[in-house]
Amino acid sequence: MPAFWSAAAGKLVERWVATGLAAAVFWLILVMAWAAGLPRPRQALAGRLDAVGAMRIGEQIALLLVVLVVLSGSGLLMRQLTLPALRLLEGYWPGFLSPLSGRLRLRHVRRRAAASAAWNPLHARLTGDPSAAGQPPLSAEERRRYAQLEAGLRWSPREPELMMPTRAGNILRAAEAEPLHKYGLDAVLLWPHLWTLLPESFQQNLAAARQRLDNAVAAGLWSLLVLPAVYWTPWALLALLAVNYAWRWSLPRACLDYAILLQAAFDLHRQQLYRALRQPLPVNAAVEREAGLRLTAYVYRGSDEPTMVFESGT
């Protein structure tokens, strides 16, 4: 029994750290902001602590339980809000924001077109295309510019109709669309199937990348919730800097890390989908996209085609 309770306590602490640590920091900041607005902050806090110290043991335990419930509840609530907030940050906005969304999408489409126009001649010179015959090789500055353009084009959707109004949304949308372009596989439809076939180590890396993505969203949300503390102290406006960092810099970086692993999952393990569904592997790259489209259609709606013959092995 002592070993059981020790293990149970360890699990509880682990769960609390996962769900309540960020909430504890949030409430601590609010308490500090409240105290900063008092005439004598140190004396006020000392008085509250003395009052807690004067309580009976039972009252202190009850207060501690209330604090733990508030912290855990705050953390769990934030976890429920993270996914809807991420959807908004990606650009999935309600209908009344359609005009703004359309303008932002159009701006991203124009930026991609301009980047593509600048990339084409640099790529022709780098690869020795006949259209660039007689032109000098790329300089160091041109190579740096080429790499910049290449990254920007890779992490934005190719089709204008797939463009999202935000950078984070475009990174994730590009990652979802690329398997369809390259292999004919619908990433959104087939992801649950592929996930179950991935090696455990790959699943862990993906889960860690997704957790970093969720943490970036949650950090911005926690910082927004600190802003009402401006009522007590103007120092709470520093939370705007945290929001800007979390959503302007940290979130796109986390999206990129997750998107790279998502594409790597299809690049390295898409053959497992064919084997698990008893479909023949594409014989070469020229027919792979057609085979992928056929596999996607089969998973989506099934098939009664007599030409679709299942392989006997796994």
Side-chain angles (χ1 to χ4, degrees):
M1 289 302 294
F4 167 79
W5 286 114
S6 177
K11 290 292 183 183
L12 286 174
V13 170
E14 180 180 342
R15 290 292 301 273
W16 184 86
V17 169
T19 60
L21 186 58
V25 174
F26 165 73
W27 287 108
L28 179 60
I29 292 175
L30 283 188
V31 170
M32 293 173 62
W34 165 78
L38 296 176
R40 295 180 177 178
R42 295 182 59 182
Q43 289 82 348
L45 284 177
R48 274 23 176 223
L49 292 175
D50 289 341
V52 172
M55 291 180 178
R56 290 175 293 183
I57 296 297
E59 293 174 335
Q60 291 179 348
I61 293 176
L63 179 61
L64 177 61
L65 290 176
V66 169
V67 170
L68 291 177
V69 168
V70 169
L71 293 179
S72 299
S74 302
L76 291 173
L77 179 60
M78 181 58 67
R79 292 181 65 179
Q80 297 301 313
L81 293 175
T82 297
L83 181 57
L86 176 59
R87 299 286 290 177
L88 288 175
L89 292 169
E90 286 182 70
Y92 295 98
W93 298 342
F96 68 89
L97 291 177
S98 294
L100 174 60
S101 176
R103 287 195 294 270
L104 293 176
R105 290 170 190 261
L106 182 58
R107 186 175 70 172
H108 284 294
V109 169
R110 289 173 176 169
R111 285 181 176 177
R112 194 183 200 284
S116 181
W119 176 86
N120 285 327
L122 294 176
H123 181 71
R125 290 168 57 189
L126 183 66
T127 57
D129 191 273
S131 63
Q135 297 188 25
L138 297 183
S139 65
E141 178 61 25
E142 287 174 326
R143 286 179 177 273
R144 184 192 65 80
R145 176 61 176 161
Y146 175 83
Q148 261 185 348
L149 293 169
E150 179 85 9
L153 291 172
R154 180 185 180 189
W155 298 115
S156 63
R158 302 184 188 186
E159 293 85 354
E161 60 271 17
L162 295 180
M163 197 68 72
M164 299 296 290
T166 67
R167 183 184 175 195
N170 284 324
I171 292 173
L172 295 177
R173 177 62 67 85
E176 294 168 357
E178 198 62 19
L180 184 62
H181 293 305
K182 293 195 295 187
Y183 312 121
L185 300 173
D186 188 324
V188 177
L189 175 66
L190 297 175
W191 179 245
H193 305 72
L194 182 61
W195 169 263
T196 62
L197 303 173
L198 294 176
E200 184 178 355
S201 59
F202 202 108
Q203 289 182 342
Q204 292 174 352
N205 290 331
L206 266 167
R210 181 51 194 256
Q211 187 60 54
R212 290 193 294 272
L213 177 56
D214 291 343
N215 289 343
V217 176
L221 288 177
W222 284 120
S223 301
L224 282 179
L225 293 175
V226 171
L227 288 178
V230 174
Y231 176 79
W232 296 309
T233 173
W235 287 104
L237 288 173
L238 292 175
L240 289 175
L241 298 178
V243 174
N244 182 70
Y245 174 79
W247 288 350
R248 184 176 176 85
W249 304 106
S250 180
L251 179 62
R253 179 70 254 182
C255 288
L256 188 59
D257 292 342
Y258 182 72
I260 290 172
L261 288 177
L262 179 63
Q263 287 193 1
F266 281 91
D267 291 339
L268 301 176
H269 301 286
R270 64 187 184 280
Q271 296 87 354
Q272 301 300 325
L273 284 172
Y274 288 92
R275 295 190 181 99
L277 294 169
R278 298 175 58 198
Q279 298 294 308
L281 290 172
V283 294
N284 56 51
V287 301
E288 181 170 12
R289 192 171 189 278
E290 180 182 351
L293 291 172
R294 189 182 183 193
L295 179 66
T296 296
Y298 172 67
V299 172
Y300 183 67
R301 61 178 62 90
S303 175
D304 56 2
E305 296 180 14
T307 57
M308 181 172 285
V309 180
F310 296 118
E311 291 193 339
S312 57
T314 57

